[in-house]
Amino acid sequence: MSENIEFNRNEDKMKMLISAMNQKLDKVFQGGGKTRIEKEHAKGKLTARERIQYLLDKDKPQLEIGAFVGDGMYAEHGGCPSGGVVVVIGYVKNRQVIVVANDATVKAGAWFPITAKKNLRAQEISIENKLPIIYLVDSAGVYLPMQDEIFPDKEHFGRIFRNNAIMSSMGILQISAVMGSCVAGGAYLPIMSDEAMIVKETGTIFLAGSYLVKAAIGEDIDNETLGGATTHCEISGVTDYKCENDQDCLDRIRNIMDKIGDYDKAGFDRAISSMPAKDHKELLGILPDSREKPYDMMEVIERLVDDSAFEPYKDKYGQSIICGLARIDGWAVGIIANQRKVVKSKKGEMQFGGVIYSDSADKAARFIMNCNQKKIPLLFLQDVTGFMVGSRSEQGGIIKDGAKMVNAMANSVVPKFTVVVGNSYGAGNYAMCGKAYDPRLMLAWPTAQIAVMGGAQAAKVLLQIEVSTLKAKGKVITPEDEKAMYDKIFNHYEQTTSIYYSAARLVVDAIINPLDTRKAISMGIEAANHAPIEKRYNVGVLQV
């Protein structure tokens, strides 16, 4: 395949997209910038990312959640790289954990609205998977200029502490390390964790800092005396361990994790892992250089799964969706993938790639039910333009069959994982387990795009509406006017359908190199295996 001219052209484009992604990541990893990083070092502190890398096992895989969160947002406030908080799934002493570290180089670790969303997502991952969570606290609290968007509502700042309590009752291990500021309402987080430690001289915990104390009650006191390590480890008893520096603190967390007991498992099947028989690196050259061109999704699957072995389900029926069983890094998975090549239906009709037809929806629904019966996790590979439209589809009951698929997927009790490979449009996004349907991880390749419909279609619809409105007001619209209006609408729509726009708002958990897909899914299933399935599968009422 590597000698094919089209393959090489596709590979070149994918590599350019990956290079652009890595360049953006390099910038994101600088946080608040070199000067602020140097200021943290001058205080004897590590940065958030340095703390995480020191804490996690070096020889084990990692998956960062929400690296692009905040991208392009809050420009009027100086920006908020990664939402001012770093979240990574990794391993400490061979035990899988999720780590949440405030980035003090970004507005002193203050919380923007998107920061709260990202912290809540980290806790959601912990709750769904019963995964131990470690908080590395270094935050000035709520970003006051935007307090109305971060403080009072259900999914705002206070939800974090509500989750602390719920997670504790569920038996989910929470460890907090106060390695910098921990103020106001945020002071409750470490104390609502199972164990809390604080770093001498740099860590402080208090409901109100020295300036506010002076203003409120007239008391003169410095922050260290008010809420430093000595106060909370020797006088108040608020924290459990007093640490000499960041490294000592992180070593103590590793020591704790080294001694915790094993966990109850969901029991998902895992065999010895093996690489795909077909060259895994060829994933980079399969997707066409234009999203309108067809391709065979089986070529992708065979470069993702162990031994390139795939057991198809109803492979000659409903061919616009591929269903079947395979293994990824040893884990058994049920795969539901949009077929992007043009195929011939059982009735001899041509079915367009990326479109969900009635028979495909029916097949997928039945396959999802079967995987729930067998306790097999589900992997959705999205490259979908939506459900088939038109009189024949409507008369054939496309809405009924689509609803059947959505019902079966939404009620699934086995963990679901979604990778957006290309298009993720309209109701196809929903049926193929979009973010609204609780995938354990929602991942995307740099080629992904999420929208109600494609840019050209949407721009034409919006242009028709705008032109009709202007003509109704008696305005004359020339072809040149229409083109200028179309270009403006199209460019704006394309900007909002960019996968980076979605990642900035945490619609996807991560944009990944296609070659990292196996690792991410394997880590996701391992995390899910921490949480035994306690709910019986029941799809409810179906209009069969």
Side-chain angles (χ1 to χ4, degrees):
M1 179 177 282
S2 58
E3 306 209 347
N4 184 297
I5 293 175
E6 187 173 346
F7 173 89
N8 292 339
R9 183 167 60 245
N10 296 342
E11 184 181 41
D12 287 344
K13 180 165 184 182
M14 179 66 86
K15 285 182 174 179
M16 287 175 63
L17 290 172
I18 293 170
S19 176
M21 178 185 75
N22 289 335
Q23 288 176 28
K24 287 175 74 72
L25 281 173
D26 287 342
K27 187 175 180 181
V28 165
F29 292 165
Q30 291 298 309
K34 185 178 178 181
T35 300
R36 291 179 181 174
I37 290 173
E38 290 173 349
K39 287 182 178 178
E40 292 300 297
H41 288 166
K43 297 174 187 175
K45 297 166 64 178
L46 301 174
T47 65
R49 293 181 186 280
E50 289 168 344
R51 287 166 175 166
I52 290 175
Q53 292 312 309
Y54 186 96
L55 175 65
L56 294 180
D57 295 347
K58 305 297 183 290
D59 59 342
K60 302 286 279 186
Q62 300 177 15
L63 178 64
E64 180 163 352
I65 302 298
F68 291 110
V69 162
D71 181 53
M73 300 171 67
Y74 311 121
E76 67 277 21
H77 297 280
C80 189
S82 270
V85 62
V86 184
V87 176
V88 177
I89 300 174
Y91 299 80
V92 176
K93 292 291 184 176
N94 294 314
R95 289 165 170 82
Q96 197 175 36
V97 300
I98 184 165
V99 185
V100 181
N102 302 114
D103 188 348
T105 71
V106 180
K107 291 287 190 297
W111 287 50
F112 285 69
I114 198 67
T115 314
K117 185 174 183 179
K118 186 171 177 179
N119 274 271
L120 289 169
R121 176 60 180 144
Q123 289 185 321
E124 182 180 42
I125 291 171
S126 175
I127 291 169
E128 286 180 328
N129 300 291
K130 291 186 168 57
L131 202 61
I133 187 166
I134 299 169
Y135 308 98
L136 306 181
V137 184
D138 194 344
S139 172
V142 166
Y143 183 61
L144 291 178
M146 302 185 75
Q147 63 85 26
D148 59 313
E149 299 179 49
I150 178 62
F151 172 67
D153 209 348
K154 180 179 179 180
E155 300 298 328
H156 285 178
F157 191 67
R159 188 76 171 182
I160 301 293
F161 318 123
R162 173 265 187 194
N163 285 352
N164 288 143
I166 297 298
M167 292 161 74
S168 181
S169 72
M170 293 174 66
I172 297 171
L173 177 64
Q174 300 177 82
I175 300 173
S176 287
V178 179
M179 310 180 81
S181 297
C182 184
V183 301
Y188 288 102
L189 183 145
I191 314 312
M192 296 186 74
S193 299
D194 297 293
E195 294 191 81
M197 54 200 69
I198 185 169
V199 177
K200 186 173 69 174
E201 295 179 356
T202 57
T204 53
I205 309 173
F206 36 63
L207 295 180
S210 56
Y211 292 124
L212 185 53
V213 167
K214 174 67 174 176
I217 64 174
E219 181 182 2
D220 280 310
I221 191 169
D222 63 87
N223 283 338
E224 180 64 24
T225 306
L226 181 65
T230 299
T231 296
H232 287 310
C233 287
E234 300 179 20
I235 301 173
S236 72
V238 164
T239 50
D240 305 311
Y241 304 96
K242 180 179 180 180
C243 307
E244 291 297 314
N245 51 39
D246 281 9
Q247 291 86 344
D248 180 41
C249 184
L250 298 168
D251 285 340
R252 286 172 184 263
I253 296 174
R254 289 182 60 80
N255 289 338
I256 292 169
M257 290 300 301
D258 189 42
K259 298 171 181 66
I260 65 172
D262 202 359
Y263 56 90
D264 295 335
K265 297 176 178 64
F268 303 124
D269 186 67
R270 191 178 198 183
I272 296 173
S273 174
S274 59
M275 289 297 293
K278 294 190 176 181
D279 189 353
H280 181 55
K281 294 181 180 177
E282 289 181 346
L283 275 176
L284 303 184
I286 295 172
L287 265 65
D289 58 355
S290 168
R291 64 180 63 248
E292 283 75 34
K293 293 181 181 179
Y295 65 93
D296 188 351
M297 182 62 87
M298 276 305 305
E299 296 289 344
V300 173
I301 293 171
E302 288 172 347
R303 286 159 182 81
L304 281 178
V305 303
D306 292 11
D307 298 317
S308 300
F310 182 77
E311 184 180 336
Y313 173 79
K314 294 181 182 285
D315 59 329
K316 299 301 181 185
Y317 174 73
Q319 295 180 74
S320 73
I321 286 183
I322 298 169
C323 297
L325 301 176
R327 291 187 184 274
I328 291 181
D329 195 24
W331 293 105
V333 292
I335 296 175
I336 301 100
N338 303 112
Q339 176 58 285
R340 281 303 312 271
K341 71 176 184 179
V342 178
V343 295
K344 188 176 288 187
S345 75
K346 61 183 183 296
K347 298 177 182 178
E349 300 165 341
M350 301 310 292
Q351 294 190 347
F352 298 101
V355 179
I356 301 176
Y357 292 78
S358 286
D359 53 0
S360 303
D362 174 69
K363 176 174 81 170
R366 292 175 183 273
F367 180 70
I368 290 167
M369 294 177 200
N370 284 345
C371 285
N372 274 272
Q373 285 286 89
K374 299 170 185 171
K375 202 158 76 168
I376 300 173
L378 294 168
L379 170 61
F380 293 81
L381 298 177
Q382 285 194 10
D383 195 345
V384 58
T385 52
F387 284 85
M388 190 60 189
V389 297
S391 60
R392 179 178 292 179
S393 292
E394 298 295 355
Q395 291 167 13
I398 185 67
I399 295 175
K400 175 185 68 178
D401 290 319
K404 186 190 303 182
M405 179 179 174
V406 171
N407 197 332
M409 180 273 301
N411 282 292
S412 177
V413 297
V414 296
K416 307 183 293 271
F417 302 88
T418 302
V419 180
V420 185
V421 171
N423 303 322
S424 179
Y425 294 162
N429 168 281
Y430 297 162
M432 292 293 293
C433 196
K435 190 64 179 288
Y437 292 85
D438 299 322
R440 297 293 178 98
L441 290 173
M442 177 90 173
L443 308 169
W445 289 3
T447 44
Q449 197 175 72
I450 299 176
V452 171
M453 62 181 73
Q457 294 170 291
K460 287 175 184 176
V461 172
L462 294 169
L463 176 65
Q464 290 174 10
I465 295 170
E466 190 166 340
V467 168
S468 297
T469 301
L470 292 172
K471 285 182 176 179
K473 294 178 180 178
K475 295 189 177 181
V476 177
I477 307 297
T478 67
E480 291 76 16
D481 292 335
E482 282 200 25
K483 184 179 185 308
M485 291 163 62
Y486 174 86
D487 289 343
K488 182 180 178 181
I489 294 168
F490 179 81
N491 290 335
H492 173 72
Y493 195 86
E494 285 289 288
Q495 179 184 350
T496 59
T497 60
S498 161
I499 195 59
Y500 291 100
Y501 187 92
S502 295
R505 289 152 183 82
L506 210 53
V507 175
V508 296
D509 292 312
I511 305 174
I512 61 172
N513 184 324
L515 300 181
D516 289 332
T517 307
R518 280 172 53 86
K519 176 192 79 172
I521 298 303
S522 176
M523 290 182 68
I525 298 176
E526 182 179 349
N529 205 36
H530 284 77
I533 297 172
E534 299 171 350
K535 183 179 177 183
R536 188 173 69 88
Y537 183 58
N538 186 347
V539 295
V541 177
L542 289 176
Q543 298 295 326
V544 179

